[in-house]
Amino acid sequence: MVLLKWKSCITAITLTAISLTASKSALAASLYSVTDLGSLTGEAYSFATDINNSGEVAINSLNGSFFYSNGSLKKISPLPGDNVLAVSAINNLGQVIGNSIGNNFTGNNPFLYSNGITQPLPIQNAIPYAINDRTQVVGGASKLGPFLYSDGIATSIGTPGNVAYGLNNLGQVVGILNSNTAFLYKNGQTTNLGTLPGDNYSVANDINDSGQVVGSSGLTGVDDGRAFLYSSSTGLQNLGKLRPTDLFSFAGGINNLGQVVGFSGTNNNFFAPDGNGLRAFLYSDNTLYDLNDLIAPGLDAGFTLTAASAININGQIVGRGAVNGELHAFLLTPISSVSVAEPTSGFPILSFGAVVILFAALKRKPHSSNAAIQQRSLSNNFR
């Protein structure tokens, strides 16, 4: 979005350099510029949870949540009577959903932010996780369990203890069952997606309009899980890890082109500000890429990209990364399509406040029930 006016020379140099160093098994991939969204918040801690096809971004920080559009931030206000909030997702209408709570932290108050106004959603003690372009919302509620909110009505689509994390424009929903396995809900029917071979745990985090699902499958949870991609024709596919020494990988977002983003590494503090032991990835064209390797020379903004949470149809990616010992939200924007060497790893291709903890840990080990939904661990996104 920014820093692009003088890139023609840089791009030419980049193309030449990569063409000289690419291996014989080179694949087509984009190079990216990095925009430091965290620096706009003026805080040392921030992370981006979602992006829409217009490049608008939902961001959480230590002291607030923001709507990013066209180079500027708008701070989102909590619901009346509350003073803390966190955002989880944004749709192509620029509508943002999240959770608002007060000082006593006795209830989770879901909201919809649209055109500068924060409005409550009529669901008690619930956390919304995804919104589609029909303004349908899914999430988890203490009484309803996984819910689908549509046309002003919230309907339970499961039992308490289950949570819905992802939603597409067809109204298909994904999430986790209280049996600690991923599910897909469509046409009124819930399908247990199971796990990768040998695993006991899985969670589904996102679904695109083609019905492709991404998530994580592990022996005990996300900390030892492997990113997966699911379709009705192939079942669960293991996307692997970036390096042989990595202990886990996690897929958090997918676009309508089937491109997947997430992270891989050894550090189970998924929000580590030092950048050690975590790397953001892109899965595209049957190949798993370390996004740090796809940043155009001189355009990294000092980042180590540690986790990617969402990707839009234009290939823009958001997430979080380490900058000088701080954790900042980032936006990646493709600047060219070039040949890059195929990865040679040999592997296939949320204290800083209750609300930040709430959404920062949203899907890490999501197996609690009813009111404890707010303690479910992250991915996030998140988103």
Side-chain angles (χ1 to χ4, degrees):
M1 275 187 188
V2 297
L3 307 174
L4 295 179
K5 293 184 178 179
W6 47 273
K7 285 184 185 150
S8 56
C9 292
I10 292 178
T11 301
I13 295 170
T14 300
L15 289 169
T16 301
I18 292 181
S19 66
L20 292 174
T21 59
S23 72
K24 63 181 180 181
S25 58
L27 299 173
S30 293
L31 289 181
Y32 298 86
S33 65
V34 183
T35 301
D36 186 348
L37 301 180
S39 66
L40 300 179
T41 72
E43 299 183 41
Y45 177 94
S46 61
F47 60 97
T49 62
D50 202 9
I51 184 171
N52 65 18
N53 290 338
S54 298
E56 296 169 329
V57 184
I59 302 170
N60 287 318
S61 74
L62 181 64
N63 295 310
S65 297
F66 303 88
F67 171 83
Y68 171 85
S69 180
N70 296 321
S72 64
L73 287 184
K74 291 182 180 179
K75 192 167 186 177
I76 300 175
S77 298
L79 292 170
D82 292 342
N83 61 350
V84 186
L85 81 165
V87 294
S88 52
I90 185 171
N91 66 11
N92 287 320
L93 303 177
Q95 298 173 313
V96 178
I97 54 168
N99 190 60
S100 174
I101 57 180
N103 275 326
N104 53 12
F105 301 104
T106 56
N108 300 302
N109 304 310
F111 67 81
L112 172 71
Y113 172 85
S114 182
N115 297 319
I117 300 174
T118 306
Q119 300 174 323
L121 293 174
I123 315 167
Q124 291 184 341
N125 200 18
I127 301 174
Y129 291 109
I131 181 171
N132 65 15
D133 297 339
R134 298 159 59 187
T135 317
Q136 293 178 310
V137 178
V138 296
S142 60
K143 294 182 179 180
L144 291 176
F147 67 83
L148 173 62
Y149 172 82
S150 182
D151 297 324
I153 299 174
T155 303
S156 174
I157 57 172
T159 60
N162 301 349
V163 178
Y165 288 134
L167 170 71
N168 66 15
N169 286 316
L170 301 178
Q172 298 172 336
V173 183
V174 296
I176 187 169
L177 302 169
N178 52 18
S179 59
N180 285 343
T181 49
F183 76 82
L184 167 63
Y185 173 89
K186 64 178 181 178
N187 301 323
Q189 300 294 319
T190 298
T191 301
N192 188 330
L193 297 183
T195 67
L196 290 171
D199 289 343
N200 300 313
Y201 167 95
S202 64
V203 57
N205 299 310
D206 198 15
I207 180 171
N208 67 14
D209 291 341
S210 297
Q212 294 177 297
V213 180
V214 294
S216 175
S217 175
L219 183 62
T220 61
V222 173
D223 291 354
D224 60 14
R226 295 163 288 170
F228 72 72
L229 172 64
Y230 166 90
S231 71
S232 59
S233 60
T234 64
L236 268 65
Q237 302 176 70
N238 181 5
L239 301 187
K241 305 167 186 174
L242 283 174
R243 294 169 293 258
T245 55
D246 282 352
L247 302 178
F248 55 80
S249 61
F250 185 91
I254 185 170
N255 65 12
N256 280 341
L257 298 177
Q259 296 174 304
V260 181
V261 293
F263 57 91
S264 179
T266 58
N267 187 350
N268 62 10
N269 176 7
F270 298 157
F271 291 77
D274 57 12
N276 291 331
L278 292 171
R279 290 296 182 273
F281 73 67
L282 166 69
Y283 176 83
S284 182
D285 298 322
N286 299 313
T287 304
L288 196 67
Y289 297 96
D290 185 334
L291 278 170
N292 293 277
D293 296 337
L294 299 182
I295 306 306
L299 299 181
D300 62 10
F303 266 88
T304 297
L305 309 177
T306 57
S309 55
I311 180 170
N312 68 13
I313 196 66
N314 301 310
Q316 292 178 297
I317 299 169
V318 294
R320 57 190 181 271
V323 184
N324 299 322
E326 299 181 349
L327 191 74
H328 284 198
F330 69 73
L331 167 66
L332 302 185
T333 301
I335 62 173
S336 65
S337 182
V338 301
S339 293
V340 298
E342 183 175 354
T344 57
S345 67
F347 269 55
I349 309 292
L350 175 104
S351 113
F352 19 78
V355 154
V356 172
I357 293 173
L358 170 73
F359 276 87
L362 283 186
K363 301 175 190 170
R364 186 168 164 190
K365 291 180 181 176
H367 55 265
S368 57
S369 61
N370 39 60
I373 288 169
Q374 66 191 52
Q375 301 304 325
R376 289 179 178 267
S377 328
L378 147 78
S379 85
N380 236 47
N381 84 141
F382 241 202
R383 280 190 219 241

